[in-house]
Amino acid sequence: MERSEERIGFEIRRLDHMLARNLQAHVKTAGIDEVTVMHGWIIRYLYANRDKDVFQRDIEKYFSIGRSTVTNIIQLMEKKGFIVRESVEYDARLKKVILTDKGIRNQESLKRLIKSLDNSLIEGITDEELSVFHSVIGKLTANLMKEDPGGNGCIPGRFPIDGKEETDDPDFIA
C-alpha cells in the first residue's frame, strides 16, 4: 500500500489544478478573464510597486524570465490597455512600465475575488488546522528548496534567490 507522503506531490498538483479551474471560472464570471496568469502576476507586481519606477529589466529579474518573453508580454499587455510605457527624463533609452486605470481596476477586482474565494476555501477549517497547514507548507517548501536541482531556489513572487522569504503577500497568486 502506498504511503500518503509518497503521493503528496500528486495531491498538491491536483489541488492546484482544482484551484486554478475554480479561479478561472470565477474570473470569467466577473468579466476579468482577458488576463493570463502571467499577466496577472505582472499586474499584481506593478500594483504593489506603484510608488516606484519599474522597468522591463525589473520584471525580467523578479519573475526570472527572459528579455524577449517579457518584451512580448509587455507589448500584449500594452495592446490590451493594462499598461503603458513611459520614457524617463534621465535616460531616453529607459521606459518605465506603468499600470493604466484599467490595470488597476483589474487588480482590485481580482483582489476582491481572491479574498472571497479564500474565505470560501477555508470554510469549516479551524484556526488550528490552518496553522498546521501553513506549518506543513513551510516545511514542504524548505525541503524543495534544499532539493532544488537547478540550485536557484526561486519561487516567483515569494522567495528570492537566497531562499529568504521576500514577502508574505496573501494576495499573490503564483
Side-chain angles (χ1 to χ4, degrees), residues 13-33 37 110 112-123 173:
R13 176 62 187 111
R14 186 169 70 163
L15 182 61
D16 177 60
H17 184 70
M18 290 171 63
L19 283 168
R21 285 183 28 202
N22 187 292
L23 179 61
Q24 200 170 35
H26 281 86
V27 163
K28 187 172 186 166
T29 300
I32 52 176
D33 61 329
V37 172
L110 189 57
R112 285 189 300 275
L113 178 65
I114 289 168
K115 183 175 178 140
S116 172
L117 290 174
D118 274 352
N119 287 338
S120 65
L121 190 61
I122 62 171
E123 194 172 306
I173 36 181

Side-chain angles (χ1 to χ4, degrees), residues 55 85-96 98:
F55 301 96
R85 289 183 281 184
E86 249 180 42
S87 296
V88 291
E89 290 179 21
Y90 56 88
D91 190 338
R93 298 168 297 174
L94 288 177
K95 291 187 184 253
K96 58 185 174 180
I98 303 169

